[in-house]
Amino acid sequence: MRLLSGEAYRRLVQDTRVLEHDRFGDKVLRRRDDRVIKLFRTKRLLSLSLIYPYSLRFSRNARKLNRLGVPSVEVEQLFYCASIRRHGVVYPLLPGETLGCLLEGRPNRDDLMQQLARFIAELHQKKIYFRSLHLGNILQLPDGRLGLIDVADLRFSLLPLTLWQRRRNFRHLLRRAEHRALFEQFGIERFIEHYLDAADVPQQKKAGFQTLIMG
Ligand SMILES: Nc1ncnc2c1ncn2[C@@H]1O[C@H](COP(=O)(O)OP(=O)(O)OP(=O)(O)O)[C@@H](O)[C@H]1O
Ligand SMILES: [Mg+2]
């Protein structure tokens, strides 16, 4: 990890566009050379993220995802800048668009919805528990495959994902009203059917799965 002086940080973010920010400041910046700078704030004073920063989790998770055949970013640089008290990562933009944007701008969403359901099943099959799973964190790449960004909060499980974890994933996907509307148009039950067709949920549990998600 590189330690960046305030001056080096200013150089890094010179001439960038802010993609995402919140009340604490900038979160994601895009450079003219199509590199993305993502910043992580330590939320609490005493936090695991002091010894195991989100930037490191992010880059390890991204690397492991790629190894498992799930496209994700390739981190080039990790840094800490004391003067802004932020950890950060730098990676080339993953080409593509978020599913949120793609689905909103498309009259016929069926294919993409089905692909998404299969993709979630694939993640679960690979025992990947991506807690930030939502339409803004999934991209469709130019070759049509789906990939993940924003991967700091992700776990590679040793055991198959529990029903509770799967449920949490679906709930998270449906949390934002504008996203939920897209799933409702396609049919939430229908979406779950497609997921179950591709997932390795035990047969006897499949029946209750719909109620578990919807209930
Ligand atoms: N590698 C990338 N390729 C393309 N676009 C990206 C990339 N990284 C970030 N973006 C864009 O920046 C936005 C915010 O990035 P990211 O999801 O990493 O930040 P975030 O602030 O954690 O978002 P949220 O908390 O809302 O999920 C994305 O929705 C996407 O539009
Ligand atoms: Mg995000």
Side-chain angles (χ1 to χ4, degrees):
M1 183 179 319
R2 272 180 63 189
L3 292 178
L4 287 191
S5 65
E7 182 48 37
Y9 176 74
R10 271 188 296 282
R11 273 201 304 275
L12 181 71
V13 299
Q14 203 176 6
D15 218 5
T16 49
R17 194 156 54 83
V18 178
L19 295 182
E20 203 74 51
H21 67 94
D22 64 11
R23 64 196 169 99
F24 300 101
D26 296 342
K27 284 169 68 184
V28 187
L29 304 150
R30 178 173 173 172
R31 285 168 52 100
R32 274 173 177 273
D33 63 4
D34 279 347
R35 284 189 168 76
V36 174
I37 300 163
K38 189 168 164 77
L39 301 169
F40 301 94
R41 182 173 65 87
T42 299
K43 288 175 188 134
R44 276 162 281 132
L45 204 58
L46 270 179
S47 159
L48 184 63
S49 65
L50 287 174
I51 35 177
Y52 187 24
Y54 284 109
S55 52
L56 193 55
R57 288 183 222 186
F58 183 100
S59 70
R60 283 186 179 160
N61 289 343
R63 194 170 341 123
K64 193 148 180 203
L65 282 171
N66 279 310
R67 274 210 303 271
L68 289 173
V70 178
S72 186
V73 301
E74 294 187 12
V75 174
E76 291 178 337
Q77 199 194 119
L78 287 98
F79 65 84
Y80 179 69
C81 178
S83 68
I84 58 158
R85 303 226 310 276
R86 293 287 187 277
H87 282 95
V89 286
V90 182
Y91 50 82
L93 196 82
L94 202 61
E97 279 208 75
T98 67
L99 285 197
C101 286
L102 283 175
L103 287 167
E104 262 154 38
R106 180 176 291 197
N108 186 355
R109 308 187 175 106
D110 283 13
D111 288 351
L112 198 48
M113 277 295 191
Q114 289 172 25
Q115 187 185 358
L116 173 61
R118 284 196 304 272
F119 179 65
I120 298 170
E122 180 196 336
L123 293 179
H124 290 176
Q125 189 98 26
K126 291 179 172 170
K127 303 188 180 88
I128 297 167
Y129 181 41
F130 180 35
R131 289 169 56 95
S132 318
L133 185 79
H134 67 67
L135 297 180
N137 288 337
I138 309 171
L139 298 188
Q140 187 172 42
L141 314 186
D143 65 8
R145 290 183 305 157
L146 301 184
L148 299 179
I149 57 170
D150 207 0
V151 294
D153 204 1
L154 183 148
R155 238 162 285 159
F156 299 94
S157 196
L158 290 174
L159 300 169
L161 262 64
T162 63
L163 288 180
W164 187 87
Q165 287 171 317
R166 296 171 200 251
R167 173 181 188 240
R168 193 190 174 283
N169 254 188
F170 279 96
R171 294 254 165 130
H172 197 70
L173 205 58
L174 297 169
R175 189 165 298 162
R176 284 195 203 166
E178 72 270 29
H179 290 168
R180 194 183 177 94
L182 294 168
F183 286 100
E184 277 169 351
Q185 271 172 28
F186 179 80
I188 297 178
E189 281 187 35
R190 185 173 160 217
F191 185 78
I192 296 169
E193 285 300 326
H194 282 287
Y195 164 82
L196 286 173
D197 277 347
D200 62 345
V201 175
Q203 198 58 40
Q204 72 273 24
K205 290 194 174 162
K206 280 191 178 172
F209 198 79
Q210 288 278 5
T211 6
L212 184 80
I213 304 293
M214 313 286 280

PDB file of all heavy atoms in Angstrom, residues 178-202:
ATOM      1  N   GLU A 178     -37.161   2.229  -7.190  1.00  0.00           N
ATOM      2  CA  GLU A 178     -37.093   2.238  -8.661  1.00  0.00           C
ATOM      3  C   GLU A 178     -36.592   0.893  -9.205  1.00  0.00           C
ATOM      4  O   GLU A 178     -36.957   0.486 -10.301  1.00  0.00           O
ATOM      5  CB  GLU A 178     -36.268   3.424  -9.184  1.00  0.00           C
ATOM      6  CG  GLU A 178     -34.776   3.361  -8.974  1.00  0.00           C
ATOM      7  CD  GLU A 178     -34.324   3.994  -7.653  1.00  0.00           C
ATOM      8  OE1 GLU A 178     -35.111   3.993  -6.675  1.00  0.00           O
ATOM      9  OE2 GLU A 178     -33.175   4.471  -7.582  1.00  0.00           O
ATOM     10  N   HIS A 179     -35.793   0.205  -8.413  1.00  0.00           N
ATOM     11  CA  HIS A 179     -35.341  -1.117  -8.840  1.00  0.00           C
ATOM     12  C   HIS A 179     -36.452  -2.142  -8.640  1.00  0.00           C
ATOM     13  O   HIS A 179     -36.683  -2.995  -9.487  1.00  0.00           O
ATOM     14  CB  HIS A 179     -34.089  -1.526  -8.066  1.00  0.00           C
ATOM     15  CG  HIS A 179     -32.873  -0.717  -8.442  1.00  0.00           C
ATOM     16  ND1 HIS A 179     -31.703  -0.737  -7.724  1.00  0.00           N
ATOM     17  CD2 HIS A 179     -32.660   0.128  -9.481  1.00  0.00           C
ATOM     18  CE1 HIS A 179     -30.825   0.072  -8.291  1.00  0.00           C
ATOM     19  NE2 HIS A 179     -31.378   0.610  -9.359  1.00  0.00           N
ATOM     20  N   ARG A 180     -37.115  -2.024  -7.511  1.00  0.00           N
ATOM     21  CA  ARG A 180     -38.209  -2.961  -7.222  1.00  0.00           C
ATOM     22  C   ARG A 180     -39.255  -2.928  -8.339  1.00  0.00           C
ATOM     23  O   ARG A 180     -39.761  -3.961  -8.770  1.00  0.00           O
ATOM     24  CB  ARG A 180     -38.849  -2.602  -5.875  1.00  0.00           C
ATOM     25  CG  ARG A 180     -39.718  -3.702  -5.381  1.00  0.00           C
ATOM     26  CD  ARG A 180     -40.440  -3.383  -4.094  1.00  0.00           C
ATOM     27  NE  ARG A 180     -41.292  -4.512  -3.804  1.00  0.00           N
ATOM     28  CZ  ARG A 180     -40.953  -5.519  -3.020  1.00  0.00           C
ATOM     29  NH1 ARG A 180     -39.798  -5.516  -2.412  1.00  0.00           N
ATOM     30  NH2 ARG A 180     -41.773  -6.536  -2.850  1.00  0.00           N
ATOM     31  N   ALA A 181     -39.519  -1.701  -8.818  1.00  0.00           N
ATOM     32  CA  ALA A 181     -40.518  -1.551  -9.883  1.00  0.00           C
ATOM     33  C   ALA A 181     -40.114  -2.365 -11.124  1.00  0.00           C
ATOM     34  O   ALA A 181     -40.973  -2.970 -11.780  1.00  0.00           O
ATOM     35  CB  ALA A 181     -40.683  -0.080 -10.231  1.00  0.00           C
ATOM     36  N   LEU A 182     -38.822  -2.392 -11.417  1.00  0.00           N
ATOM     37  CA  LEU A 182     -38.359  -3.158 -12.585  1.00  0.00           C
ATOM     38  C   LEU A 182     -38.614  -4.653 -12.386  1.00  0.00           C
ATOM     39  O   LEU A 182     -39.048  -5.356 -13.308  1.00  0.00           O
ATOM     40  CB  LEU A 182     -36.853  -2.935 -12.812  1.00  0.00           C
ATOM     41  CG  LEU A 182     -36.415  -1.526 -13.208  1.00  0.00           C
ATOM     42  CD1 LEU A 182     -34.908  -1.370 -13.106  1.00  0.00           C
ATOM     43  CD2 LEU A 182     -36.872  -1.230 -14.642  1.00  0.00           C
ATOM     44  N   PHE A 183     -38.353  -5.119 -11.164  1.00  0.00           N
ATOM     45  CA  PHE A 183     -38.588  -6.543 -10.888  1.00  0.00           C
ATOM     46  C   PHE A 183     -40.084  -6.848 -10.884  1.00  0.00           C
ATOM     47  O   PHE A 183     -40.503  -7.916 -11.325  1.00  0.00           O
ATOM     48  CB  PHE A 183     -37.959  -6.936  -9.543  1.00  0.00           C
ATOM     49  CG  PHE A 183     -36.459  -7.025  -9.605  1.00  0.00           C
ATOM     50  CD1 PHE A 183     -35.661  -5.990  -9.153  1.00  0.00           C
ATOM     51  CD2 PHE A 183     -35.843  -8.142 -10.150  1.00  0.00           C
ATOM     52  CE1 PHE A 183     -34.286  -6.063  -9.226  1.00  0.00           C
ATOM     53  CE2 PHE A 183     -34.460  -8.230 -10.228  1.00  0.00           C
ATOM     54  CZ  PHE A 183     -33.681  -7.178  -9.768  1.00  0.00           C
ATOM     55  N   GLU A 184     -40.864  -5.916 -10.378  1.00  0.00           N
ATOM     56  CA  GLU A 184     -42.309  -6.142 -10.353  1.00  0.00           C
ATOM     57  C   GLU A 184     -42.868  -6.254 -11.763  1.00  0.00           C
ATOM     58  O   GLU A 184     -43.740  -7.062 -12.041  1.00  0.00           O
ATOM     59  CB  GLU A 184     -43.016  -5.035  -9.562  1.00  0.00           C
ATOM     60  CG  GLU A 184     -42.966  -5.343  -8.073  1.00  0.00           C
ATOM     61  CD  GLU A 184     -43.395  -4.181  -7.208  1.00  0.00           C
ATOM     62  OE1 GLU A 184     -43.580  -3.069  -7.750  1.00  0.00           O
ATOM     63  OE2 GLU A 184     -43.528  -4.395  -5.989  1.00  0.00           O
ATOM     64  N   GLN A 185     -42.331  -5.411 -12.647  1.00  0.00           N
ATOM     65  CA  GLN A 185     -42.799  -5.482 -14.038  1.00  0.00           C
ATOM     66  C   GLN A 185     -42.493  -6.836 -14.664  1.00  0.00           C
ATOM     67  O   GLN A 185     -43.289  -7.384 -15.413  1.00  0.00           O
ATOM     68  CB  GLN A 185     -42.133  -4.390 -14.862  1.00  0.00           C
ATOM     69  CG  GLN A 185     -42.920  -3.099 -14.849  1.00  0.00           C
ATOM     70  CD  GLN A 185     -42.148  -1.990 -15.515  1.00  0.00           C
ATOM     71  OE1 GLN A 185     -41.318  -2.240 -16.393  1.00  0.00           O
ATOM     72  NE2 GLN A 185     -42.395  -0.772 -15.096  1.00  0.00           N
ATOM     73  N   PHE A 186     -41.314  -7.346 -14.350  1.00  0.00           N
ATOM     74  CA  PHE A 186     -40.945  -8.661 -14.893  1.00  0.00           C
ATOM     75  C   PHE A 186     -41.713  -9.762 -14.155  1.00  0.00           C
ATOM     76  O   PHE A 186     -42.040 -10.801 -14.733  1.00  0.00           O
ATOM     77  CB  PHE A 186     -39.433  -8.870 -14.732  1.00  0.00           C
ATOM     78  CG  PHE A 186     -38.944 -10.197 -15.232  1.00  0.00           C
ATOM     79  CD1 PHE A 186     -38.724 -10.405 -16.588  1.00  0.00           C
ATOM     80  CD2 PHE A 186     -38.692 -11.244 -14.353  1.00  0.00           C
ATOM     81  CE1 PHE A 186     -38.265 -11.638 -17.056  1.00  0.00           C
ATOM     82  CE2 PHE A 186     -38.236 -12.472 -14.814  1.00  0.00           C
ATOM     83  CZ  PHE A 186     -38.016 -12.669 -16.170  1.00  0.00           C
ATOM     84  N   GLY A 187     -41.985  -9.485 -12.883  1.00  0.00           N
ATOM     85  CA  GLY A 187     -42.621 -10.483 -12.018  1.00  0.00           C
ATOM     86  C   GLY A 187     -41.581 -11.026 -11.050  1.00  0.00           C
ATOM     87  O   GLY A 187     -40.646 -11.704 -11.490  1.00  0.00           O
ATOM     88  N   ILE A 188     -41.765 -10.708  -9.772  1.00  0.00           N
ATOM     89  CA  ILE A 188     -40.752 -11.142  -8.790  1.00  0.00           C
ATOM     90  C   ILE A 188     -40.736 -12.666  -8.681  1.00  0.00           C
ATOM     91  O   ILE A 188     -39.679 -13.294  -8.675  1.00  0.00           O
ATOM     92  CB  ILE A 188     -41.003 -10.463  -7.415  1.00  0.00           C
ATOM     93  CG1 ILE A 188     -40.853  -8.938  -7.574  1.00  0.00           C
ATOM     94  CG2 ILE A 188     -40.024 -10.976  -6.363  1.00  0.00           C
ATOM     95  CD1 ILE A 188     -41.105  -8.129  -6.330  1.00  0.00           C
ATOM     96  N   GLU A 189     -41.938 -13.254  -8.669  1.00  0.00           N
ATOM     97  CA  GLU A 189     -41.995 -14.724  -8.572  1.00  0.00           C
ATOM     98  C   GLU A 189     -41.341 -15.376  -9.777  1.00  0.00           C
ATOM     99  O   GLU A 189     -40.625 -16.374  -9.654  1.00  0.00           O
ATOM    100  CB  GLU A 189     -43.448 -15.188  -8.472  1.00  0.00           C
ATOM    101  CG  GLU A 189     -43.986 -15.007  -7.079  1.00  0.00           C
ATOM    102  CD  GLU A 189     -45.370 -15.612  -6.916  1.00  0.00           C
ATOM    103  OE1 GLU A 189     -45.649 -16.658  -7.530  1.00  0.00           O
ATOM    104  OE2 GLU A 189     -46.175 -15.008  -6.181  1.00  0.00           O
ATOM    105  N   ARG A 190     -41.586 -14.778 -10.920  1.00  0.00           N
ATOM    106  CA  ARG A 190     -41.010 -15.311 -12.156  1.00  0.00           C
ATOM    107  C   ARG A 190     -39.473 -15.212 -12.101  1.00  0.00           C
ATOM    108  O   ARG A 190     -38.767 -16.125 -12.512  1.00  0.00           O
ATOM    109  CB  ARG A 190     -41.561 -14.476 -13.319  1.00  0.00           C
ATOM    110  CG  ARG A 190     -41.159 -14.956 -14.676  1.00  0.00           C
ATOM    111  CD  ARG A 190     -41.913 -14.146 -15.708  1.00  0.00           C
ATOM    112  NE  ARG A 190     -41.264 -14.204 -16.998  1.00  0.00           N
ATOM    113  CZ  ARG A 190     -41.197 -13.191 -17.836  1.00  0.00           C
ATOM    114  NH1 ARG A 190     -41.735 -12.020 -17.538  1.00  0.00           N
ATOM    115  NH2 ARG A 190     -40.610 -13.327 -18.995  1.00  0.00           N
ATOM    116  N   PHE A 191     -39.005 -14.102 -11.560  1.00  0.00           N
ATOM    117  CA  PHE A 191     -37.561 -13.904 -11.431  1.00  0.00           C
ATOM    118  C   PHE A 191     -36.970 -14.988 -10.522  1.00  0.00           C
ATOM    119  O   PHE A 191     -35.946 -15.606 -10.837  1.00  0.00           O
ATOM    120  CB  PHE A 191     -37.280 -12.503 -10.857  1.00  0.00           C
ATOM    121  CG  PHE A 191     -35.820 -12.164 -10.802  1.00  0.00           C
ATOM    122  CD1 PHE A 191     -35.140 -11.764 -11.943  1.00  0.00           C
ATOM    123  CD2 PHE A 191     -35.114 -12.254  -9.613  1.00  0.00           C
ATOM    124  CE1 PHE A 191     -33.783 -11.471 -11.910  1.00  0.00           C
ATOM    125  CE2 PHE A 191     -33.765 -11.959  -9.567  1.00  0.00           C
ATOM    126  CZ  PHE A 191     -33.097 -11.560 -10.713  1.00  0.00           C
ATOM    127  N   ILE A 192     -37.647 -15.243  -9.419  1.00  0.00           N
ATOM    128  CA  ILE A 192     -37.158 -16.250  -8.477  1.00  0.00           C
ATOM    129  C   ILE A 192     -37.209 -17.654  -9.112  1.00  0.00           C
ATOM    130  O   ILE A 192     -36.328 -18.477  -8.883  1.00  0.00           O
ATOM    131  CB  ILE A 192     -37.952 -16.180  -7.147  1.00  0.00           C
ATOM    132  CG1 ILE A 192     -37.687 -14.813  -6.480  1.00  0.00           C
ATOM    133  CG2 ILE A 192     -37.550 -17.292  -6.198  1.00  0.00           C
ATOM    134  CD1 ILE A 192     -38.596 -14.500  -5.314  1.00  0.00           C
ATOM    135  N   GLU A 193     -38.241 -17.890  -9.925  1.00  0.00           N
ATOM    136  CA  GLU A 193     -38.306 -19.171 -10.649  1.00  0.00           C
ATOM    137  C   GLU A 193     -37.061 -19.377 -11.497  1.00  0.00           C
ATOM    138  O   GLU A 193     -36.462 -20.454 -11.505  1.00  0.00           O
ATOM    139  CB  GLU A 193     -39.523 -19.212 -11.594  1.00  0.00           C
ATOM    140  CG  GLU A 193     -40.867 -19.409 -10.929  1.00  0.00           C
ATOM    141  CD  GLU A 193     -40.949 -20.712 -10.162  1.00  0.00           C
ATOM    142  OE1 GLU A 193     -40.334 -21.698 -10.604  1.00  0.00           O
ATOM    143  OE2 GLU A 193     -41.617 -20.712  -9.106  1.00  0.00           O
ATOM    144  N   HIS A 194     -36.692 -18.340 -12.233  1.00  0.00           N
ATOM    145  CA  HIS A 194     -35.496 -18.435 -13.071  1.00  0.00           C
ATOM    146  C   HIS A 194     -34.251 -18.678 -12.229  1.00  0.00           C
ATOM    147  O   HIS A 194     -33.382 -19.449 -12.598  1.00  0.00           O
ATOM    148  CB  HIS A 194     -35.316 -17.162 -13.917  1.00  0.00           C
ATOM    149  CG  HIS A 194     -36.221 -17.113 -15.103  1.00  0.00           C
ATOM    150  ND1 HIS A 194     -36.030 -17.913 -16.215  1.00  0.00           N
ATOM    151  CD2 HIS A 194     -37.334 -16.382 -15.354  1.00  0.00           C
ATOM    152  CE1 HIS A 194     -36.979 -17.658 -17.092  1.00  0.00           C
ATOM    153  NE2 HIS A 194     -37.788 -16.734 -16.598  1.00  0.00           N
ATOM    154  N   TYR A 195     -34.192 -18.010 -11.099  1.00  0.00           N
ATOM    155  CA  TYR A 195     -33.074 -18.213 -10.173  1.00  0.00           C
ATOM    156  C   TYR A 195     -33.040 -19.672  -9.714  1.00  0.00           C
ATOM    157  O   TYR A 195     -31.999 -20.330  -9.770  1.00  0.00           O
ATOM    158  CB  TYR A 195     -33.204 -17.254  -8.981  1.00  0.00           C
ATOM    159  CG  TYR A 195     -32.335 -17.624  -7.807  1.00  0.00           C
ATOM    160  CD1 TYR A 195     -30.988 -17.272  -7.784  1.00  0.00           C
ATOM    161  CD2 TYR A 195     -32.849 -18.348  -6.727  1.00  0.00           C
ATOM    162  CE1 TYR A 195     -30.173 -17.626  -6.717  1.00  0.00           C
ATOM    163  CE2 TYR A 195     -32.048 -18.706  -5.658  1.00  0.00           C
ATOM    164  CZ  TYR A 195     -30.717 -18.339  -5.653  1.00  0.00           C
ATOM    165  OH  TYR A 195     -29.917 -18.707  -4.597  1.00  0.00           O
ATOM    166  N   LEU A 196     -34.211 -20.162  -9.289  1.00  0.00           N
ATOM    167  CA  LEU A 196     -34.261 -21.522  -8.745  1.00  0.00           C
ATOM    168  C   LEU A 196     -33.942 -22.572  -9.808  1.00  0.00           C
ATOM    169  O   LEU A 196     -33.354 -23.610  -9.504  1.00  0.00           O
ATOM    170  CB  LEU A 196     -35.638 -21.788  -8.121  1.00  0.00           C
ATOM    171  CG  LEU A 196     -35.887 -21.084  -6.782  1.00  0.00           C
ATOM    172  CD1 LEU A 196     -37.327 -21.262  -6.337  1.00  0.00           C
ATOM    173  CD2 LEU A 196     -34.933 -21.590  -5.700  1.00  0.00           C
ATOM    174  N   ASP A 197     -34.311 -22.286 -11.042  1.00  0.00           N
ATOM    175  CA  ASP A 197     -33.994 -23.224 -12.130  1.00  0.00           C
ATOM    176  C   ASP A 197     -32.487 -23.418 -12.257  1.00  0.00           C
ATOM    177  O   ASP A 197     -32.015 -24.488 -12.621  1.00  0.00           O
ATOM    178  CB  ASP A 197     -34.512 -22.678 -13.468  1.00  0.00           C
ATOM    179  CG  ASP A 197     -35.982 -22.991 -13.648  1.00  0.00           C
ATOM    180  OD1 ASP A 197     -36.503 -23.826 -12.864  1.00  0.00           O
ATOM    181  OD2 ASP A 197     -36.613 -22.399 -14.547  1.00  0.00           O
ATOM    182  N   ALA A 198     -31.740 -22.356 -11.970  1.00  0.00           N
ATOM    183  CA  ALA A 198     -30.295 -22.413 -12.162  1.00  0.00           C
ATOM    184  C   ALA A 198     -29.531 -22.660 -10.862  1.00  0.00           C
ATOM    185  O   ALA A 198     -28.348 -22.995 -10.892  1.00  0.00           O
ATOM    186  CB  ALA A 198     -29.813 -21.109 -12.797  1.00  0.00           C
ATOM    187  N   ALA A 199     -30.196 -22.501  -9.719  1.00  0.00           N
ATOM    188  CA  ALA A 199     -29.489 -22.568  -8.431  1.00  0.00           C
ATOM    189  C   ALA A 199     -29.465 -23.990  -7.885  1.00  0.00           C
ATOM    190  O   ALA A 199     -30.257 -24.828  -8.291  1.00  0.00           O
ATOM    191  CB  ALA A 199     -30.166 -21.641  -7.428  1.00  0.00           C
ATOM    192  N   ASP A 200     -28.557 -24.204  -6.953  1.00  0.00           N
ATOM    193  CA  ASP A 200     -28.474 -25.545  -6.364  1.00  0.00           C
ATOM    194  C   ASP A 200     -29.194 -25.615  -5.017  1.00  0.00           C
ATOM    195  O   ASP A 200     -28.724 -26.228  -4.089  1.00  0.00           O
ATOM    196  CB  ASP A 200     -27.005 -25.964  -6.229  1.00  0.00           C
ATOM    197  CG  ASP A 200     -26.240 -25.026  -5.291  1.00  0.00           C
ATOM    198  OD1 ASP A 200     -26.766 -23.937  -5.005  1.00  0.00           O
ATOM    199  OD2 ASP A 200     -25.142 -25.390  -4.843  1.00  0.00           O
ATOM    200  N   VAL A 201     -30.325 -24.940  -4.944  1.00  0.00           N
ATOM    201  CA  VAL A 201     -31.136 -25.027  -3.729  1.00  0.00           C
ATOM    202  C   VAL A 201     -31.746 -26.431  -3.692  1.00  0.00           C
ATOM    203  O   VAL A 201     -32.290 -26.885  -4.702  1.00  0.00           O
ATOM    204  CB  VAL A 201     -32.265 -23.957  -3.743  1.00  0.00           C
ATOM    205  CG1 VAL A 201     -33.199 -24.111  -2.560  1.00  0.00           C
ATOM    206  CG2 VAL A 201     -31.667 -22.552  -3.776  1.00  0.00           C
ATOM    207  N   PRO A 202     -31.625 -27.142  -2.548  1.00  0.00           N
ATOM    208  CA  PRO A 202     -32.187 -28.495  -2.479  1.00  0.00           C
ATOM    209  C   PRO A 202     -33.673 -28.502  -2.857  1.00  0.00           C
ATOM    210  O   PRO A 202     -34.404 -27.584  -2.489  1.00  0.00           O
ATOM    211  CB  PRO A 202     -32.002 -28.886  -1.006  1.00  0.00           C
ATOM    212  CG  PRO A 202     -30.967 -27.963  -0.471  1.00  0.00           C
ATOM    213  CD  PRO A 202     -30.992 -26.728  -1.304  1.00  0.00           C
TER     214      PRO A 202
END
